[in-house]
Amino acid sequence: MNLTQLFNFKFFLQNLKKSKASIIFMLLLLPAFTAISLIAYDREEAYVLDFAEASVFNIIFMYIVPIAISLTLFSFCFKKTSCDFIGSMPVSRKSLFTTNTIGGICLIVIMQLVTALLTLIYSATTTKLIIFCAMIWDMFLFFTIAYIFVFIVCNLAISISGNKFAAIATTLLILFLVPFTIACSRINNNIYNSYGYDENEYQFTYYNTYHFTAPSMLFDEQIFSGNGPVYDSISIIKMVVLSVIYFIIGIKLFNRKKYEVAGESFENEKVHLLVKMLTLSPFAAFASLVGIENMDAFFLFFIAFVMIYYYLFDMITNKKVKLKITIATFFASCFIMYAFYYIVVPRLGFIGMDQIKVAEIESLTIENVKCSYKGINTFNLTIDDKELIEKVLSFNNNDYSPFSSNFYYDSAAEGFAKTTNGRIHKINIRNLLKIDAFAQAYGDNIFSFNDDNGKVMLTGIKASKEFEKELKSSLKKDLDGITYKDYINILKSQVEDYELLLVDYKNHKIVKQEFSYENLRETRNCAIKELNKNAYKSNATYWNMSKSVDFAKYIIVNNPQITFSDDYEYEGYEKYLNEVVYERFGEEIVLATPEKVYYDDPSVDYDYNHSTEKIIYSGLRSFSLTQMKNYLKEHKDDSFDSSKPFFAIQCIGRGVEGVFYSNDLEGFYKLFAKIYNESLSNESGIKLNEI
Amino acid sequence: MIKITNLNKSFGENKVLENLNCNIKTGSIYGLIGANGAGKSTLLRIIMGIFKEDSGTIELDGKELQDKEEMMQKLVFIPDDLFFYKNYTLKDTIEFYSKIYSNFEYDRAIKFAESLKLPLDKKVNYFSKGMKRQSALICAICTNADYMFFDETFDGVDPVVRNYLKKIIAEQMEKKETTIIMTSHNLRELEDICDNVGLLYKGGILFESDIDTLKTNMFKIQISLPKEFSKEEFSNYKVLSFKKVGSVATIILEGDREKYEKELKELNPIILDFLPLTLEEIFIYQMEVLGYEFNSIV
């Protein structure tokens, strides 16, 4: 077979031309929806897009686009007249199959390339959305191969089927039957799942790892648990190998394909019956699970359902129902499939029991811990303290725990790895942990990270190369000796937060590392310098000084907050408010003179429908705005040392946000007093004491 | 030359072709006739490689087809049920053929289309049945293929255009040595263009012959003798059919016409007319000799 026969470009071009509208539509679907999703993710705050989030439409269209392309390119196979037309052309069957396959692969590659470039360009041009180039490449590779795999599977299905419905049914069977059966074996086994701690050994149920192909990841626990798909190199190799095998089988079968069955389901009634029976598998699997407890009632329903399903399957794929054959095969199919999923599948050996000595466990990971100890967070918790590992494992199963999470341990001990052949041991343990005991031991260290606030530093990095360089240099000074070296991407770094979160894409995963500001003095100072510049530039119309309370160690002004807004219809309430606020929050307002400041807190439930954000009138606002602007302008280049007492002002304007930090406490209080003394005295007679 | 040997094809339980043997000479037009469902289209599809034979061989110039594109370039097939791409105009269709067939004559096809007043820029699917047939035929002829297979060749084509198409086919035969198989269930459509005719019946070629030979060797006479006469008077001749109404007999004879004419004149006939036989009549009488009733076969 020469190159022209392998890919007959002229024929492929004509094949494309005849259905150019639908091909173009299909090719545009993914890039268009990807663009929409990128815009949707592009929020005000910086955001790191992970593999699962970025893959949503790639996954959805994986089940549609390759199949649609395949059905379109091979559309001539489904009608007798078009079979005559194409079959009589001087293009050999091998050439027809290889041309359409190679051409379809090219279309998929182009589509994925466009999508990847679009993502890359969007990532490069937006300041807020972070999409790692390595991840874009991974997605391109993973989904291109996945789409090609689905496409080739559909081509193979077309080689043995005579109409679209039969081809789709066959495609789904080839794609899903085996992984579905494996997934069922796991679900079934949960019934017998057992685990337990006995003296120094821990019994557990293990699962053999199974690398699902991308379309079959539907049955993967990752998807079930809401974690989304993950890049899987073994899955890629599997898809490539299977694609090659299916392609070769496809050529052979297409060469022997009987065009005379065009329009019918399959050339052979037995194949039709087999496919029909196999498509019963999801229902049979469901029946084997549900039917155990409700045998009689459920089986009546199941049988009725299968009857209808068989009728519909025959009508859709073959446009005719052979009643005798349908009835004859119906009961046999029900029995065989049910028995298979109820008896055979649980014993397929994808699951087993094993035990491990507790002393050999080096680390224990609790997946998706949900905790409200300090803030609400979900995270994986790894424990490497031997004593605690034993304590956790020995908890009584009936103990109450808010951790309704998966929990697995991973042992680096060689003995353990050998005895279990390196399998990943995953245990589904519920109600194992007592939150109190756990929190007492590890609470502060574990639950201290803060997960909110802005990404000012990141915005700064994106906006200024100079700052990026300076920041990296600061980070190097701060992080010297810390093993995490690629701290290029900084997600969460607004200086009033407790931590710096470094994000990177390594080994096909988003990795995050958090650092306390205690260790990041240089970085913090560098960031504050930039922030001060931005605060001045932001042309803010709103300042919130309450942010300064976050730095517990260096609190200067506990809660004096001055708020300026456009709304001034509540004139005259300020005095009353001050009194109310003081009564409620007096203890918190320490240094500032309580009766002469406004306290703003959205959680305060005032007796009337407004917040203090709305009570400042125009004169005060205008005056204070000018004062603040002048102050920021004058002090924007001041040096800053976070080890010394300082204050922070959050500056909020329309579409802008910034924080200004300064050690100029004296200047700040003068400004503060000036604003209050000179403006409030005119309106309410209140005077702020001199400090 | 097309040589078909022991060809068998079944669709499920239904045997369509059974031990079919046939030789078609290069450079001839072979008319294949048979009733609906006789297997004419199936035979053509098998020759083209669209259907796979169950057993038997088909050789073109001594070589089996075997899905080879070089050989497939030499073949073109116009099926009975025509197919055109949904959005293609006639111009697109001609262009399609020109891309796929290496020897396709694009300008000639356009010229034919214009002669037949076929709108080039109109979608072929909107054409009438006859116009579609004309479009398919001109595309096929312009491929310059060595072997052309036309199923129900002139189905839906009016007599004027039919003659024009026959003329085009004849021109093509003159231009290049081409072997054509045409099928029809109507003998009249084929008699003035085919060199050979085969009758397909019950999966095999029941009868085949050269048309010229058939027409030369078979003739019809109307004769009336001065005396009373019966079939026995003609026992020296090969009589295929004898019908006598009153004193006039209509006889179909097979043999040397000149010799027969000379001998019959010696009987001093009152009436002796030699009448031409249509192909259909020839077939009817041949079938009767073989013991079949022609109308039940075709």
Side-chain angles (χ1 to χ4, degrees):
Chain A
M1 196 179 210
N2 60 35
L3 276 178
T4 320
Q5 284 172 327
L6 192 69
F7 184 65
N8 189 327
F9 184 68
K10 286 177 182 172
F11 172 76
F12 184 69
L13 221 55
Q14 292 297 321
N15 205 12
L16 279 189
K17 188 181 164 186
K18 62 113 171 109
S19 39
K20 58 186 171 194
S22 48
I23 292 278
I24 290 169
F25 174 74
M26 282 183 281
L27 293 184
L28 286 179
L29 271 177
L30 182 64
F33 276 85
T34 302
I36 291 167
S37 71
L38 289 177
I39 293 165
Y41 277 118
D42 198 359
R43 299 156 188 171
E44 284 188 8
E45 292 185 344
Y47 189 72
V48 175
L49 207 61
D50 67 24
F51 194 88
E53 288 168 327
S55 307
V56 172
F57 286 107
N58 247 320
I59 294 167
I60 293 169
F61 291 125
M62 177 168 54
Y63 303 101
I64 301 168
V65 173
I67 293 175
I69 290 176
S70 174
L71 293 176
T72 307
L73 292 177
F74 284 97
S75 61
F76 65 88
C77 293
F78 308 125
K79 273 174 85 177
K80 284 192 167 70
T81 51
S82 50
C83 278
D84 281 347
F85 182 69
I86 297 296
S88 65
M89 291 294 150
V91 185
S92 69
R93 287 191 182 210
K94 273 183 196 166
S95 185
L96 277 177
F97 190 82
T98 53
T99 298
N100 276 341
T101 305
I102 294 168
I105 289 170
C106 291
L107 293 178
I108 287 167
V109 172
I110 291 168
M111 178 183 69
Q112 287 291 352
L113 210 56
V114 170
T115 309
L117 283 174
L118 191 81
T119 313
L120 199 65
I121 292 165
Y122 196 92
S123 166
T125 51
T126 182
T127 55
K128 303 284 174 59
L129 195 62
I130 301 165
I131 311 165
F132 293 95
C133 290
M135 194 181 85
I136 296 173
W137 164 250
D138 275 356
M139 285 180 61
F140 171 74
L141 185 72
F142 186 74
F143 284 107
T144 302
I145 290 169
Y147 274 55
I148 290 171
F149 174 64
V150 177
F151 172 71
I152 287 177
V153 166
C154 192
N155 292 355
L156 172 66
I158 288 169
S159 298
I160 56 170
S161 46
N163 64 38
K164 286 180 188 176
F165 297 107
I168 291 169
T170 312
T171 304
L172 297 180
L173 279 179
I174 298 171
L175 286 178
F176 298 135
L177 189 65
V178 173
F180 175 78
T181 306
I182 289 166
C184 285
S185 77
R186 292 181 171 185
I187 294 168
N188 274 326
N189 268 291
N190 278 348
I191 299 162
Y192 312 108
N193 230 354
S194 63
Y195 45 84
Y197 176 78
D198 181 22
E199 293 187 353
N200 292 321
E201 291 198 329
Y202 191 78
Q203 284 191 330
F204 59 91
T205 311
Y206 71 81
Y207 296 99
N208 273 339
T209 48
Y210 183 85
H211 295 273
F212 289 95
T213 57
S216 313
M217 280 181 176
L218 271 182
F219 305 116
D220 196 342
E221 285 174 342
Q222 286 289 327
I223 298 277
F224 276 134
S225 60
N227 291 342
V230 288
Y231 180 93
D232 185 344
S233 305
I234 295 173
S235 174
I236 287 183
I237 294 166
K238 202 171 175 178
M239 287 190 286
V240 170
V241 171
L242 283 175
S243 295
V244 172
I245 293 169
Y246 289 160
F247 176 62
I248 293 166
I249 297 172
I251 294 176
K252 301 274 179 206
L253 291 174
F254 196 80
N255 209 28
R256 293 171 54 190
K257 184 178 172 66
K258 289 187 172 177
Y259 279 147
E260 53 263 45
V261 294
E264 292 164 27
S265 58
F266 300 96
E267 66 177 66
N268 191 317
E269 184 68 25
K270 285 172 195 163
V271 179
H272 177 85
L273 287 173
L274 180 70
V275 170
K276 186 166 70 170
M277 190 179 91
L278 290 176
T279 57
L280 195 67
S281 46
F283 312 117
F286 181 67
S288 71
L289 284 173
V290 180
I292 296 161
E293 293 180 1
N294 291 310
M295 226 27 133
D296 300 337
F298 184 78
F299 267 82
L300 281 176
F301 168 76
F302 178 65
I303 286 170
F305 179 84
V306 174
M307 253 326 207
I308 296 166
Y309 171 74
Y310 263 36
Y311 176 81
L312 289 176
F313 186 89
D314 281 346
M315 283 306 287
I316 292 169
T317 58
N318 235 1
K319 296 184 185 72
K320 62 187 175 191
V321 179
K322 289 183 177 173
L323 200 61
K324 282 181 190 168
I325 296 173
T326 301
I327 292 171
T329 55
F330 164 69
F331 288 104
S333 304
C334 283
F335 176 76
I336 292 166
M337 292 306 289
Y338 178 79
F340 180 71
Y341 279 95
Y342 188 59
I343 299 163
V344 181
V345 168
R347 288 165 178 75
L348 284 178
F350 293 103
I351 195 165
M353 291 297 295
D354 211 338
Q355 57 188 31
I356 185 174
K357 285 183 180 167
V358 173
E360 285 182 350
I361 300 174
E362 294 214 342
S363 72
L364 186 76
T365 302
I366 304 172
E367 283 185 319
N368 300 323
V369 174
K370 289 179 185 129
C371 181
S372 57
Y373 184 71
K374 277 189 181 179
I376 299 164
N377 284 300
T378 302
F379 59 99
N380 293 347
L381 176 66
T382 301
I383 306 164
D384 52 11
D385 183 289
K386 297 266 181 188
E387 197 183 331
L388 189 67
I389 289 170
E390 192 169 353
K391 195 175 175 185
V392 167
L393 291 175
S394 63
F395 274 129
N396 188 306
N397 289 354
N398 296 322
D399 283 350
Y400 169 77
S401 167
F403 293 101
S404 57
S405 58
N406 291 326
F407 161 35
Y408 68 90
Y409 51 85
D410 201 355
S411 172
E414 278 189 22
F416 175 57
K418 275 178 192 168
T419 54
T420 58
N421 300 319
R423 288 182 289 237
I424 294 172
H425 297 81
K426 243 177 178 181
I427 309 163
N428 195 341
I429 299 177
R430 290 178 190 279
N431 305 326
L432 269 182
L433 300 175
K434 274 187 174 176
I435 182 68
D436 290 343
F438 192 74
Q440 276 170 20
Y442 282 85
D444 286 337
N445 291 330
I446 293 163
F447 302 118
S448 63
F449 65 79
N450 198 336
D451 190 30
D452 60 2
N453 275 314
K455 282 78 191 172
V456 178
M457 192 183 284
L458 179 85
T459 313
I461 290 171
K462 289 239 175 183
S464 160
K465 286 279 169 199
E466 197 182 321
F467 173 59
E468 185 179 345
K469 200 174 164 188
E470 204 175 320
L471 189 74
K472 278 183 191 173
S473 151
S474 307
L475 275 165
K476 271 182 187 166
K477 285 179 196 165
D478 280 336
L479 301 180
D480 187 34
I482 295 174
T483 51
Y484 193 92
K485 287 175 185 172
D486 297 323
Y487 36 79
I488 295 162
N489 297 284
I490 301 163
L491 171 65
K492 200 176 65 176
S493 56
Q494 196 164 334
V495 281
E496 70 269 29
D497 288 344
Y498 284 89
E499 290 173 351
L500 176 72
L501 183 65
L502 301 179
V503 187
D504 201 1
Y505 190 75
K506 280 187 152 188
N507 297 324
H508 316 293
K509 280 178 189 164
I510 297 275
V511 284
K512 295 176 181 177
Q513 190 160 352
E514 293 158 5
F515 296 99
S516 161
Y517 275 113
E518 293 297 314
N519 302 320
L520 298 168
R521 191 141 297 166
E522 291 285 339
T523 310
R524 181 206 250 172
N525 288 344
C526 172
I528 283 169
K529 198 175 159 192
E530 181 69 13
L531 284 168
N532 283 355
K533 279 186 203 167
N534 289 332
Y536 166 67
K537 284 176 192 165
S538 71
N539 198 19
T541 54
Y542 173 95
W543 283 279
N544 181 354
M545 283 177 266
S546 68
K547 282 288 169 187
S548 60
V549 301
D550 290 341
F551 293 99
K553 200 171 174 181
Y554 303 110
I555 283 177
I556 304 304
V557 183
N558 251 7
N559 270 320
Q561 178 160 329
I562 180 163
T563 310
F564 307 101
S565 90
D566 291 336
D567 196 339
Y568 46 87
E569 62 179 292
Y570 299 105
E571 268 181 58
Y573 285 100
E574 68 276 5
K575 188 179 178 186
Y576 169 74
L577 263 178
N578 278 343
E579 286 166 5
V580 173
V581 167
Y582 180 63
E583 278 172 23
R584 293 193 184 193
F585 303 98
E587 287 176 12
E588 291 179 38
I589 304 169
V590 181
L591 292 177
T593 311
E595 67 274 15
K596 295 185 178 79
V597 295
Y598 292 85
Y599 185 86
D600 180 63
D601 189 322
S603 65
V604 175
D605 183 18
Y606 295 115
D607 294 333
Y608 44 87
N609 184 24
H610 77 286
S611 73
T612 51
E613 287 180 24
K614 299 175 178 177
I615 64 167
I616 302 300
Y617 28 83
S618 62
L620 173 59
R621 180 173 173 276
S622 167
F623 172 76
S624 56
L625 270 173
T626 314
Q627 294 299 319
M628 277 292 186
K629 280 180 184 173
N630 289 340
Y631 182 82
L632 294 182
K633 190 174 182 180
E634 194 182 326
H635 293 272
K636 70 183 171 67
D637 295 322
D638 283 1
S639 60
F640 174 75
D641 185 350
S642 61
S643 62
K644 292 177 184 170
F646 67 92
F647 68 92
I649 307 167
Q650 187 184 26
C651 313
I652 301 167
R654 289 187 180 85
V656 291
E657 185 175 342
V659 184
F660 182 87
Y661 291 86
S662 176
N663 299 112
D664 179 27
L665 294 173
E666 197 181 337
F668 168 70
Y669 278 109
K670 277 182 184 169
L671 171 73
F672 192 69
K674 193 177 179 185
I675 291 170
Y676 276 85
N677 282 335
E678 292 187 19
S679 59
L680 293 184
S681 61
N682 295 333
E683 303 295 333
S684 59
I686 300 169
K687 288 195 175 183
L688 187 73
N689 291 340
E690 288 286 342
I691 297 171
Chain B
M1 183 177 173
I2 303 174
K3 187 181 177 190
I4 302 170
T5 315
N6 293 328
L7 190 69
N8 285 286
K9 176 72 183 173
S10 303
F11 295 129
E13 301 292 309
N14 182 24
K15 278 191 174 179
V16 180
L17 300 177
E18 200 171 356
N19 288 325
L20 187 141
N21 292 288
C22 178
N23 290 317
I24 297 161
K25 280 187 289 181
T26 304
S28 68
I29 302 181
Y30 189 92
L32 189 64
I33 60 162
N36 292 332
K40 306 186 292 290
S41 305
T42 302
L43 176 60
L44 294 190
R45 285 184 174 94
I46 292 173
I47 296 172
M48 285 302 298
I50 299 168
F51 288 0
K52 303 277 181 189
E53 66 277 6
D54 296 339
S55 63
T57 55
I58 297 169
E59 288 174 14
L60 298 178
D61 298 331
K63 290 176 190 168
E64 286 193 45
L65 192 63
Q66 287 183 336
D67 205 31
K68 284 179 185 162
E69 288 184 5
E70 277 172 34
M71 282 186 83
M72 291 165 85
Q73 282 284 349
K74 295 180 180 176
L75 314 176
V76 69
F77 172 54
I78 301 297
D80 53 344
D81 200 355
L82 295 171
F83 175 85
F84 295 94
Y85 283 139
K86 207 163 63 180
N87 298 315
Y88 271 33
T89 61
L90 178 55
K91 201 172 179 179
D92 292 333
T93 307
I94 291 171
E95 203 175 295
F96 175 84
Y97 274 87
S98 72
K99 300 284 180 198
I100 303 295
Y101 281 93
S102 50
N103 294 326
F104 191 86
E105 290 177 288
Y106 182 84
D107 294 336
R108 190 173 168 219
I110 296 287
K111 200 176 132 196
F112 282 151
E114 284 166 354
S115 313
L116 287 163
K117 295 189 172 52
L118 295 170
L120 284 164
D121 294 321
K122 192 176 171 184
K123 285 178 184 169
V124 185
N125 272 337
Y126 296 145
F127 282 11
S128 70
K129 189 180 173 186
M131 286 164 83
K132 281 182 184 171
R133 181 68 59 185
Q134 293 165 45
S135 307
L137 272 169
I138 60 170
C139 286
I141 287 163
C142 292
T143 59
N144 280 311
D146 293 345
Y147 296 93
M148 297 186 180
F149 307 105
F150 303 141
D151 199 2
E152 299 298 345
T153 322
F154 303 112
D155 189 22
V157 179
D158 66 64
V160 178
V161 176
R162 192 182 304 170
N163 285 335
Y164 181 75
L165 292 173
K166 282 178 181 173
K167 196 182 132 202
I168 292 174
I169 292 169
E171 276 175 15
Q172 179 65 20
M173 297 289 285
E174 274 176 33
K175 188 179 163 197
K176 188 183 177 190
E177 190 176 58
T178 311
T179 309
I180 299 175
I181 300 182
M182 290 179 170
T183 74
S184 179
H185 55 271
N186 186 352
L187 261 173
R188 286 188 202 114
E189 274 184 2
L190 303 181
E191 67 179 310
D192 54 349
I193 190 166
C194 292
D195 305 310
N196 298 285
V197 179
L199 176 65
L200 196 60
Y201 179 65
K202 287 191 175 172
I205 301 287
L206 183 65
F207 168 80
E208 67 178 332
S209 179
D210 183 293
I211 286 183
D212 285 341
T213 314
L214 277 177
K215 285 191 171 179
T216 314
N217 289 351
M218 282 180 74
F219 43 92
K220 181 161 70 175
I221 59 164
Q222 281 187 327
I223 191 165
S224 177
L225 297 177
K227 58 176 185 179
E228 193 59 33
F229 65 96
S230 65
K231 195 178 176 182
E232 279 69 42
E233 298 288 336
F234 305 94
S235 54
N236 292 336
Y237 308 110
K238 191 174 178 185
V239 177
L240 296 178
S241 169
F242 182 90
K243 283 174 190 167
K244 191 179 174 200
V245 181
S247 60
V248 179
T250 304
I251 310 168
I252 308 292
L253 295 170
E254 190 178 357
D256 185 342
R257 179 179 162 154
E258 281 180 18
K259 184 187 163 216
Y260 282 9
E261 192 173 356
K262 192 178 167 189
E263 287 175 9
L264 287 169
K265 277 181 181 171
E266 285 170 7
L267 297 173
N268 297 317
I270 301 164
I271 302 167
L272 177 62
D273 288 331
F274 279 81
L275 302 170
L277 272 174
T278 63
L279 194 59
E280 193 172 338
E281 285 173 309
I282 294 171
F283 262 79
I284 288 168
Y285 297 124
Q286 286 284 3
M287 291 302 102
E288 279 177 3
V289 172
L290 293 169
Y292 293 99
E293 194 181 332
F294 182 77
N295 288 335
S296 67
I297 297 174
V298 178

